[in-house]
């Protein structure tokens, strides 16, 4: 048996799993998005953009804002873990910031629903401290709650990648900059961040795609309109059995996620070149 044939046989099981469980369902979903009453057409997409344009824009804005905040928080955490001068504070931060990674999104939604409600823990704490009156309390169970949930859940993942990349940066450049009078903030922005930019980009893209697929958080925190595309897809399937529009919404989500992945691939190829 030739080595080429042997190699093909070895990868065939993994390739079959990818084709049957990923590529085939994706193709069937894409085809279903164009099927209208047994024929092919653009009717599902026309209905999608007629009914859910606001939700598409809402999803893009919410996820883009969350991605930016995740990036800022991850840089701050990784920077302090790398440049922090208080060993106890660094150890405490290193221990605490990872915990949200192990909490499922549905639990995150339930926790923040209890915490951010008008009569939730946050407002009750502020009222008990005299920082807020009961009449001034307001609910954060809207777009702000979704952003808080996404940032709280995904920041540890990106921060873990960024902190590891920052820890591998040559310390000589950092010490040289500090000896020349550069502040820790300037070292972070001008020396560390440019060297870990690709790692940061990868983490943010993975977080973007993950947030695009979350259903529990928008359902539990923001039950009003506009809402996220995942909630719209679930609504079309569960309430109407309308798989055509649901597939069209899924294809729109795929295009949005693919556009971000294309940006990463382009930057990666440019860096290699």
């Amino acid at each position: 048996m030739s080595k080429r044939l042997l190699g093909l046989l070895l990868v065939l099981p993994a390739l079959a799993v990818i084709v049957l469980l990923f590529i085939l369902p994706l193709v069937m979903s894409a085809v279903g998005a164009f099927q209208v009453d047994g024929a092919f057409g653009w009717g599902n997409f026309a209905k999608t953009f007629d009914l859910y344009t606001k939700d598409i824009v809402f999803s893009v804005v919410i996820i883009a804002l969350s991605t930016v905040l995740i990036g800022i928080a991850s840089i701050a955490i990784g920077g302090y873990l790398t440049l922090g001068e208080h060993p106890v504070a660094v150890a405490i931060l290193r221990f605490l910031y990872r915990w949200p990674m192990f909490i499922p999104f549905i639990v995150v939604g339930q926790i923040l629903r209890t915490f951010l409600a008008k009569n939730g823990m946050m407002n009750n704490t502020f009222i008990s401290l005299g920082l807020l009156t009961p009449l001034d309390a307001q609910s954060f169970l809207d777009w702000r709650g979704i952003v808080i949930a996404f940032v709280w859940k995904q920041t540890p993942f990106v921060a873990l990648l960024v902190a590891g990349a920052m820890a591998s940066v040559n310390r000589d450049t950092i010490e040289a900059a500090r000896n020349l009078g550069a502040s820790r903030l300037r070292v972070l922005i001008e020396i560390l961040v440019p060297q870990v930019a690709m790692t940061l980009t990868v983490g943010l893209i993975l977080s973007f795609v993950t947030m695009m697929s979350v259903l529990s958080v928008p359902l539990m925190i923001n039950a009003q309109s506009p809402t996220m595309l995942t909630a719209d897809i679930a609504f079309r399937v569960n309430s109407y059995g309308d798989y055509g529009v649901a597939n069209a919404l899924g294809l729109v989500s795929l295009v949005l996620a693919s556009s971000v992945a294309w940006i990463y691939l382009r930057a990666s190829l440019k860096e290699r070149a």
Side-chain angles (χ1 to χ4, degrees):
M1 184 179 297
S2 65
K3 292 183 179 180
R4 180 175 299 180
L5 180 58
L6 179 60
L8 180 61
L9 291 176
L10 289 175
V11 302
L12 189 60
L15 185 62
V17 170
I18 294 175
V19 171
L20 293 177
L21 299 183
F22 295 95
I23 297 179
L24 183 60
L26 177 61
V27 172
M28 293 177 63
S29 178
V31 172
F34 293 94
Q35 288 182 338
V36 183
D37 297 328
F40 289 96
W42 296 92
N44 292 325
F45 289 94
K47 185 182 294 185
T48 293
F49 288 105
D50 184 44
L51 297 176
Y52 300 111
T53 298
K54 290 183 179 180
D55 291 352
I56 295 173
V57 175
F58 178 81
S59 299
V60 172
V61 171
I62 290 297
I63 296 177
L65 176 61
S66 301
T67 302
V68 171
L69 295 178
I70 289 169
I72 295 173
S74 301
I75 292 172
I77 293 174
Y80 192 81
L81 292 177
T82 305
L83 303 174
E85 298 178 352
H86 301 282
V88 176
V90 171
I92 293 174
L93 179 61
R94 183 177 287 111
F95 175 76
L96 290 179
Y97 86 92
R98 305 179 186 180
W99 282 101
M101 285 177 30
F102 305 99
I103 302 177
F105 270 107
I106 189 170
V107 180
V108 172
Q110 179 59 34
I111 291 174
L112 292 182
R113 184 173 180 83
T114 304
F115 184 76
L116 299 174
K118 187 173 183 178
N119 295 322
M121 185 183 299
M122 181 182 68
N123 286 329
N124 288 334
T125 301
F126 288 156
I127 292 172
S128 63
L129 294 176
L131 302 176
L132 191 69
T133 64
L135 294 178
D136 294 330
Q138 58 177 310
S139 173
F140 280 74
L141 299 179
D142 49 21
W143 66 270
R144 295 170 295 182
I146 298 178
V147 171
I148 292 172
F150 283 158
V151 173
W152 185 72
K153 179 66 173 68
Q154 287 301 118
T155 294
F157 169 72
V158 181
L160 185 64
L161 299 177
V162 172
M166 288 183 177
S168 64
V169 172
N170 190 347
R171 299 288 302 187
D172 293 340
T173 58
I174 299 175
E175 296 301 329
R178 296 301 304 274
N179 291 335
L180 292 174
S183 64
R184 284 185 291 176
L185 180 61
R186 187 171 182 180
V187 171
L188 174 64
I189 295 175
E190 297 185 7
I191 295 179
L192 287 178
V193 172
Q195 297 189 65
V196 302
M198 185 55 65
T199 302
L200 176 64
T201 302
V202 172
L204 293 179
I205 289 173
L206 294 176
S207 295
F208 186 96
V209 175
T210 299
M211 291 184 290
M212 283 289 298
S213 63
V214 174
L215 173 62
S216 56
V217 169
L219 284 181
M220 299 181 71
I221 293 181
N222 182 43
Q224 55 194 357
S225 182
T227 187
M228 305 288 292
L229 286 178
T230 50
D232 293 330
I233 294 173
F235 176 76
R236 297 305 302 187
V237 172
N238 296 329
S239 299
Y240 297 104
D242 189 355
Y243 288 92
V245 174
N247 287 330
L249 286 168
L251 203 57
V252 171
S253 300
L254 178 62
V255 170
L256 294 175
S258 300
S259 63
V260 178
W262 177 79
I263 295 174
Y264 160 69
L265 292 174
R266 183 177 180 182
S268 179
L269 293 175
K270 184 178 180 180
E271 183 182 19
R272 292 181 181 181

